[in-house]
Amino acid sequence: MTDVTPAFDATAASTAYRSALSVIAEVEPRVADAIGAELADQRASLKLIASENYASPAVLLTMGTWLSDKYAEGTVGHRFYAGCQNVDTVEGLAAEHARELFGAPHAYVQPHSGIDANLVAFWAVLAQRIESPALERAGVRHVNDLTDEDWATLRHALGDQRMLGMSLDAGGHLTHGFRPNISGKMFAQSSYGTDPETGLLDYDAVRARAREFRPLILMAGYSAYPRRVDFAKMREIADEVGATLVVDMAHFAGLVAGKVFTGDFDPVPHAHVVTSTSHKSLRGPRGGFVLCQPEYADAVDRGCPMVLGGPLPHVMAAKAVAFAEARRPQFAGYAQTVVDNAVALAEGLSRRGARLVTGGTENHLVLLDVSTFGLTGRQAESALLDAGIVTNRNAIPADPNGAWYTSGVRLGTPALTTRGFGAAEFDRTAELVVDVLSHTSPTATRDGSPSKAKYAVDGGVADKTRAAAAELVAAHPLYPGLDLA
Ligand code: DSN
């Protein structure tokens, strides 16, 4: 089997963490205890949250350093603070590794999160559009030279900027123009969904909506769509309507890095701007980054202070380490195993009678429709948690239970694949999930009306499953050999 778990020197890492925790405990022992407890919890849980993973000790240790103490606004070689030579080194390395890993002309590694990366991208698209040719007509050389009067005109113009993205219930993300996020205030938004029969993206419908809506930005990318997206087709649609294609690859960046998504399914050659997080399938530190075509580079590099706080040098250093790991041949094996495992999980669930949105998966996640078990997503998520299985509830297309209770549960394979799970373990996981859900029933509220949150699991099933889940994870230890005792 492919070696999917990053190798590390367990003796050295044990010494490092034991020492670090004892230094922390001298100041606030409760924090040291919580850090230790979190490792125990992570080790014990059957973690199926599609957006989570386990970074290597090298990535984690890189973040706990004095690089954190440096202000470094600006970009490599152009800082607003003195003494940034070491930050220049780590930011330069992270950007270089990102460019090489993804084959991108430009990389910006300062964003602190996916939301931040998207904001940088949106700003860059607006700036680029504003600068040419509107600014030329106004005789303004650069967006930074705008007068107050120019800004007033601009704000008026921005009121009409439009974004077309995937609807939330089809698997899109809040930052793609939805009201709870600033993108929903910056842009008039419209959505494209998926085919009601197949659950798959219908590119003709996207094209028709784009022709009608004429967006400035066509957003592609998802957090709960279990299929590949054809970015060549999305670019064709963007070009046809004069839109900029922004792809948010946060969820599947590891599959792009690991060359599982290539050709039309690799967003980097097709999109104008690509945004991402570094901590999901890519297995890096918690953070974001942006890749772009050269014409967006100048505006993207102005992310801080335009929309970002000062860069986090310790996290940029950890991104450099994670990207270096992802450039190793083993990472491609990991990425392929993530997908193979998702397929095994999907088949295991379907074979046992569960209904999956789109009928299966081509990426790292499976979206399970729990209404066939007579449950809401909230009830299913809680019952699974009682049984030691960590998932998150998620809306499904045209969800009658809305975004809070939902009718779905999202399951992902990146984290457990890092622990060394293969197809057999994911098939067993599918068995446990179906067993718990088929022994769970909704219960009524105190006044006797049906509840979307309350539930009961048949006697003994949660305990039995928790023991089975513990056995599965014990066979694939997290950070094997790392000993904090
Ligand atoms: N929170 C991430 C997820 O779980 O998909 C996306 O932002």
Side-chain angles (χ1 to χ4, degrees):
M1 170 155 164
T2 326
D3 182 11
V4 295
T5 305
F8 66 97
D9 179 339
T11 310
S14 301
T15 307
Y17 279 111
R18 274 201 296 263
S19 307
L21 288 176
S22 96
V23 171
I24 295 166
E26 279 172 31
V27 181
E28 177 45 289
R30 289 171 297 181
V31 169
D33 288 349
I35 294 170
E38 181 61 23
L39 177 62
D41 289 353
Q42 296 268 353
R43 280 179 155 163
S45 80
L46 193 71
K47 179 156 94 166
L48 290 166
I49 295 189
S51 48
E52 293 188 8
N53 210 329
Y54 303 107
S56 71
V59 169
L60 298 176
L61 284 166
T62 305
M63 282 187 283
T65 66
W66 28 88
L67 281 169
S68 169
D69 294 333
K70 193 76 196 89
Y71 253 118
E73 282 175 27
T75 49
V76 175
H78 302 276
R79 304 286 183 186
F80 291 90
Y81 293 83
C84 291
Q85 58 280 4
N86 301 310
V87 180
D88 280 355
T89 300
V90 299
E91 181 171 356
L93 281 170
E96 181 188 319
H97 279 311
R99 286 193 305 271
E100 292 294 324
L101 179 61
F102 293 105
H106 186 74
Y108 180 64
V109 298
Q110 292 190 10
H112 309 163
S113 70
I115 286 188
D116 287 2
N118 281 343
L119 256 184
V120 170
F122 300 156
W123 164 253
V125 174
L126 289 171
Q128 208 260 357
R129 289 293 182 111
I130 295 159
E131 284 182 33
S132 58
L135 291 188
E136 272 170 36
R137 274 203 306 274
V140 178
R141 262 187 324 106
H142 191 272
V143 71
N144 283 1
D145 303 328
L146 287 168
T147 64
D148 284 351
E149 201 179 319
D150 293 331
W151 274 109
T153 313
L154 182 58
R155 270 194 295 275
H156 183 71
L158 289 182
D160 193 36
Q161 299 300 341
R162 297 172 184 194
M163 178 180 288
L164 179 61
M166 193 178 212
S167 66
L168 284 179
D169 68 351
H173 194 257
L174 279 179
T175 54
H176 301 176
F178 294 94
R179 273 186 307 166
N181 177 254
I182 185 72
S183 57
K185 320 282 180 205
M186 292 166 69
F187 295 91
Q189 204 268 4
S190 180
S191 304
Y192 54 86
T194 45
D195 182 275
E197 294 297 313
T198 61
L200 298 173
L201 254 180
D202 173 350
Y203 296 93
D204 291 336
V206 178
R207 188 185 306 274
R209 188 71 202 109
R211 280 182 183 158
E212 206 180 339
F213 190 61
R214 314 296 301 184
L216 170 70
I217 294 179
L218 175 60
M219 255 342 264
Y222 52 79
S223 59
Y225 179 66
R227 296 283 169 177
R228 297 184 298 182
V229 173
D230 185 331
F231 297 111
K233 274 201 187 124
M234 294 303 264
R235 175 61 186 261
E236 215 179 87
I237 296 169
D239 285 347
E240 189 186 319
V241 301
T244 301
L245 178 63
V246 178
V247 176
D248 178 344
M249 67 167 183
H251 258 265
F252 51 91
L255 308 185
V256 179
K259 310 288 180 271
V260 179
F261 286 181
T262 55
D264 293 351
F265 305 103
D266 174 355
V268 180
H270 302 293
H272 297 93
V273 184
V274 176
T275 64
S276 189
T277 54
S278 37
H279 51 271
K280 298 187 174 85
S281 54
L282 193 49
R283 205 161 63 185
R286 190 161 291 282
F289 63 98
V290 178
L291 309 172
C292 66
Q293 296 302 320
E295 63 272 29
Y296 293 90
D298 186 45
V300 161
D301 281 350
R302 290 170 197 273
C304 168
M306 188 63 74
V307 294
L308 296 178
L312 309 175
H314 55 310
V315 183
M316 292 195 295
K319 286 173 192 170
V321 173
F323 295 157
E325 285 180 347
R327 289 183 67 190
R328 294 180 174 170
Q330 299 92 307
F331 192 83
Y334 164 71
Q336 185 58 54
T337 311
V338 164
V339 178
D340 295 346
N341 283 343
V343 170
L345 176 65
E347 286 175 358
L349 291 164
S350 298
R351 206 172 57 247
R352 294 175 174 91
R355 193 189 92 79
L356 306 182
V357 173
T358 79
T361 181
E362 293 167 337
N363 56 21
H364 62 297
L365 69 90
V366 169
L367 190 55
L368 176 58
D369 175 358
V370 294
S371 65
T372 58
F373 294 96
L375 301 170
T376 64
R378 170 119 183 231
Q379 289 160 331
E381 175 194 88
S382 304
L384 289 169
L385 187 63
D386 292 347
I389 302 175
V390 188
T391 64
N392 69 285
R393 64 188 185 276
N394 208 102
I396 62 172
D399 200 314
N401 288 319
W404 179 250
Y405 291 108
T406 82
S407 304
V409 167
R410 188 184 67 167
L411 312 170
T413 55
L416 291 175
T417 301
T418 294
R419 288 181 78 140
F421 273 43
E425 289 83 355
F426 274 103
D427 187 61
R428 174 78 174 127
T429 301
E431 187 182 3
L432 297 180
V433 167
V434 172
D435 198 33
V436 172
L437 297 181
S438 41
H439 287 93
T440 302
S441 333
T443 55
T445 58
R446 263 191 224 133
D447 66 5
S449 55
S451 168
K452 290 185 176 185
K454 292 183 182 293
Y455 64 96
V457 185
D458 291 350
V461 172
D463 289 344
K464 188 186 75 179
T465 308
R466 212 175 316 107
E471 206 175 297
L472 263 181
V473 294
H476 297 278
L478 174 62
Y479 305 125
L482 179 63
D483 177 15
L484 299 189

